[in-house]
Amino acid sequence: MNAKAWVRGGLDWLRGPEPWTRRMVAGDLALVAVLVMLGLGVEELDNGSTPRMAAGAVTVLALVLLRRRLPVVTLVVGSALSAYLPGAFLVGILLGWSAGRRISGVVRAFGAFTLALLASIALSVAKELPQGRPVLVVVFATLIFLATTVMPGLASRYWSQRRTLLRALQERNAQLMRERAMVAGQARLRERQRIAQDMHDSLGHQLALISVHTGALEVDPALTERQREAVGVLRQASVSAMHELREVVGILRDGVEAPAAVEESAGPAPTHRTWCCWTSRCRSWTG
């Protein structure tokens, strides 16, 4: 169990902050296979020994798997070992791309690539020193490093920053769209509340007057029974109209309390006093 946890912890450390899916693992292994085969071909052309071929294959495997967790270390080590292991020469392209993308900060990235260049030049000069012409070795090592490591690093850094900028712009655009929709929704809500208030103040007042007057007429002793029934129908119609108006006002206010709820409150707002007064009078007339 401890060994299992130790292996899982080692894999988590090797994975680093990035998610490491099976597809990524398969891609890394495919890259290792391609680079090892190309490296074996380079070693064969350079008349490399079997131990050196094996060392080159192991180096390529280690550098490819560790490039996410240790981009600076793998860049420096890969650039330095390429002078003695021609089979690990092509892995510098992948290491440069990975380092340019993952090293944060321009100063840190510049320092890492400079250190890798110095390590590559130093070991190349040390290897070719018995043959003389160190200046030529320095020039060729610098040109090769710029072509195989610096250029992929710059391209990777540009691509990564461009993708980050596009993602930030997309998030900003989405936020602006949400804010715009929110502002439009608030404007619609204010307009609906204004319409509801206008209906409440104008139509509600008029309907309350009709209900009060028809209620007063209904109890007038001078009216005949038939006239009283007609006035009662008018009063019931006005009361029904007031109820429907309250429902419409409540719908327009999107959950705001309707005038019926306002009537039951302890301290109604000044804008609702007319409505409450007339409705209370109406109820007193209608019993």
Side-chain angles (χ1 to χ4, degrees), residues 170-186:
Q170 290 174 355
E171 293 177 356
R172 176 62 177 170
N173 185 43
Q175 181 180 359
L176 290 176
M177 294 297 292
R178 289 193 297 268
E179 292 177 356
R180 181 178 178 183
M182 186 181 301
V183 171
Q186 291 177 352

Side-chain angles (χ1 to χ4, degrees), residues 63-64 67 71 74-75 78-79 91-100 113 149:
L63 292 176
V64 170
R67 76 183 192 278
T74 53
L75 176 65
S79 301
V91 78
I93 301 174
L94 181 61
L95 296 179
W97 179 274
S98 179
F113 278 89
T149 306

Side-chain angles (χ1 to χ4, degrees), residues 100-104 155-173:
R101 176 185 173 186
R102 291 180 172 86
I103 298 177
S104 59
S156 173
R157 196 167 190 84
Y158 168 77
W159 176 77
S160 178
Q161 291 180 352
R162 182 175 180 274
R163 189 178 63 173
T164 303
L165 179 61
L166 288 177
R167 187 183 299 114
L169 290 176
Q170 290 174 355
E171 293 177 356
R172 176 62 177 170
N173 185 43

Side-chain angles (χ1 to χ4, degrees), residues 67-282:
R67 76 183 192 278
R68 292 188 178 88
R69 167 56 80 174
L70 303 172
V72 177
V73 175
T74 53
L75 176 65
V76 175
V77 173
S79 301
L81 293 181
S82 62
Y84 287 93
L85 297 175
F89 166 73
L90 294 176
V91 78
I93 301 174
L94 181 61
L95 296 179
W97 179 274
S98 179
R101 176 185 173 186
R102 291 180 172 86
I103 298 177
S104 59
V106 178
V107 177
R108 187 181 177 189
F110 180 79
F113 278 89
T114 302
L115 184 61
L117 174 61
L118 294 177
S120 177
I121 292 175
L123 292 182
S124 297
V125 171
K127 179 183 178 182
E128 302 295 336
L129 188 60
Q131 300 180 4
R133 297 182 295 180
V135 177
L136 186 61
V137 173
V138 170
V139 172
F140 272 101
T142 303
L143 292 177
I144 292 174
F145 182 83
L146 291 175
T148 60
T149 306
V150 174
M151 293 301 295
L154 291 176
S156 173
R157 196 167 190 84
Y158 168 77
W159 176 77
S160 178
Q161 291 180 352
R162 182 175 180 274
R163 189 178 63 173
T164 303
L165 179 61
L166 288 177
R167 187 183 299 114
L169 290 176
Q170 290 174 355
E171 293 177 356
R172 176 62 177 170
N173 185 43
Q175 181 180 359
L176 290 176
M177 294 297 292
R178 289 193 297 268
E179 292 177 356
R180 181 178 178 183
M182 186 181 301
V183 171
Q186 291 177 352
R188 288 194 299 268
L189 180 59
R190 286 194 297 268
E191 183 64 20
R192 292 173 62 147
Q193 291 180 349
R194 186 190 65 80
I195 296 173
Q197 189 65 39
D198 292 342
M199 293 176 63
H200 169 269
D201 294 338
S202 60
L203 294 179
H205 179 70
Q206 298 298 328
L207 289 174
L209 281 176
I210 295 173
S211 179
V212 169
H213 286 294
T214 52
L217 286 174
E218 190 177 9
V219 296
D220 190 353
L223 295 180
T224 64
E225 188 65 27
R226 185 175 180 181
Q227 291 173 339
R228 188 174 289 108
E229 290 179 1
V231 173
V233 171
L234 292 177
R235 184 182 61 81
Q236 291 295 332
S238 62
V239 172
S240 300
M242 283 192 295
H243 288 307
E244 294 178 1
L245 178 62
R246 282 198 294 267
E247 293 178 359
V248 172
V249 170
I251 294 174
L252 286 175
R253 289 181 175 177
D254 283 336
V256 179
E257 289 184 346
V262 177
E263 294 173 9
E264 298 174 359
S265 62
T271 55
H272 298 155
R273 288 178 180 174
T274 304
W275 177 278
C276 297
C277 177
W278 284 109
T279 51
S280 59
R281 291 178 61 185
C282 176

Side-chain angles (χ1 to χ4, degrees), residues 28-59:
D28 287 346
L29 295 178
L31 282 174
V32 169
V34 172
L35 292 175
V36 167
M37 292 181 62
L38 294 175
L40 292 177
V42 174
E43 291 285 356
E44 187 68 24
L45 294 176
D46 196 49
N47 297 322
S49 61
T50 302
R52 197 173 77 174
M53 292 182 180
V58 173
T59 300

